[in-house]
Amino acid sequence: MSFSALSPTALLRGARRPSWLSDPKVLRTEVLAGLVVALALIPEAISFSVIAGVDPAVGLFASFTMAVTIAIVGGRPAMISAATGAVALVIAPLNREHGFGHLVAAVVLAGALQIVLGALGIARLMRFVPRSVMVGFVNSLAILIFMAQVPEMTDVPWPVYPLIAAGLALTVLFPKVTRVVPAPLVSIVVLTVITVAAGIAVPTVGDRGELPSSLPVPGLPDVPFTLDTLWTVAPYALAMALVGLMESLMTAKLVDDITDTRSSRTRESVGQGVANIVTGLFGGMGGCAMIGQTMINVRVSGARTRLSTFLAGAFLMVLCVVFGPVVSDIPMAALVAVMVMVSVGTFDWHSVAPRTLRRMPAGEIAVMVVTVVCVVATHNLAVGVVVGSVTAMVVFARRVARFADVTAVTAPDGGSVVYRVTGELFFASSDDLVGRFRYAADPDRVVIDLSAAHIWDASSVAALDAVETKYARRGKTVEIVGLNEASARMHRTLSGELTGGR
């Protein structure tokens, strides 16, 4: 893997110099943000390793290679990718049943699938995720971040609580003094110095697992390269690819909104695949975008470039390999305080304000609540987004279906009747269309005026065919008029073909 893309010479050849090369303030912000994120990544990576059933070094290696690689090939600057709980949950059964070699093979295959899906344009599906799902996604994320800290605050020595309170106070108040140094970094350093100097016995990072003492070494997965292996790892690889892309693209969209910038989601999808292949070849457990750490990097620390992401991974390995004993002494209370503030800052409080809820349509609120409940219940952000999006589609279909209406006007001489159809005709609204006509009572000539309607799908054409058939059985003629160009084309193509003829 080459890091030349980050060298000053290569960057100066580009069309634009990165801001951190010419602005010392930006450089300082990116460096300090990367350091804060690296410190926060260590206990998270170890925890996810436990979930996946692998050695802590595997999660730390994955976080290192994911962050460094995605900084070069990813589409969303300043977004953090590393080992995640969602990926750990997916691959844990594979590791438990077939061993670590199959887990690594699944990570490499998942990366390849992500590249293929990215090239096919799966990122464009993000446009179908409505705002209510996005708000539910953000709020459920904040809840999960907070819930993840609860075990660190239960059944612990009493000094943990004042340390957490002090960490929260420092994180809130220090920015009022200066923003030159990120408040989370100050909080971590101060609390570590206090606990070490005073000899306070509280849970530390070192209690979560042993830190690696050397860099990862590349190599191929230790599995037989046969079709049986492929069939074994493929389902897990596909699940990991989809979950990873879902979380990464949702996180990218969130960062786009926070920074008022746009990023390439297709490049991000492909970049996630490349990062997972590299991670697998270095013996890591794979990963995707980390929303909590991304919020630390972007919202709390103010990072905006790829440098912070690269340095987060680089600092992670330096801290583990070179400063392992020092990092091991960091009290978990300091990191808990940081993550609690991240959860508070991530939650969209405006979305649950009474004034907002009074004005919001009931369907939008229901979609948001369904998304939050599904994510919190399953601890899987991808599940919540899928269920929330499906719920939003159902709510939208029911709402639009009610806009379709039929009114009848009989000619004065009683020889004909004109049915004026208004609204959008699709599977939800067309189902009711057939029952809106008076087949027996109408005169022999029936005109259906669709000038104020639009045909969207085959269900609507089938419904119109059914209406014509019912009138034809009674010896009455039907004329359909007013079709716009798109509706006429669909009706001309499908009419009479959906049931084998009228």
Side-chain angles (χ1 to χ4, degrees), residues 32-58:
L32 293 175
L35 179 57
V36 173
V37 172
L39 290 169
L41 277 173
I42 294 174
E44 294 278 326
I46 295 174
S47 297
F48 299 145
S49 298
V50 173
I51 293 174
V54 297
D55 188 81
V58 174

Side-chain angles (χ1 to χ4, degrees), residues 286-310:
C288 61
M290 291 195 76
I291 308 173
Q293 274 63 27
T294 297
M295 291 300 99
I296 293 176
N297 197 45
V298 174
R299 177 166 279 173
V300 178
S301 300
R304 292 293 184 271
T305 76
R306 300 179 185 277
L307 181 63
S308 59
T309 305
F310 178 86

Side-chain angles (χ1 to χ4, degrees), residues 3-18 20-21:
F3 298 97
S4 59
L6 285 178
S7 67
T9 303
L11 287 165
L12 286 170
R13 288 197 208 106
R16 263 177 34 177
R17 279 173 63 105
W20 52 267
L21 268 181

Side-chain angles (χ1 to χ4, degrees), residues 347-368:
F347 197 90
D348 186 351
W349 297 101
H350 175 73
S351 66
V352 296
R355 182 179 180 183
T356 303
L357 295 176
R358 283 196 298 268
R359 296 185 176 186
M360 191 73 67
E364 300 286 319
I365 297 174
V367 169
M368 181 178 69

Side-chain angles (χ1 to χ4, degrees), residues 31 46 99 165 295 363 395 470 488 497:
V31 171
I46 295 174
M295 291 300 99
V395 171
K470 288 179 178 291
E497 302 295 329

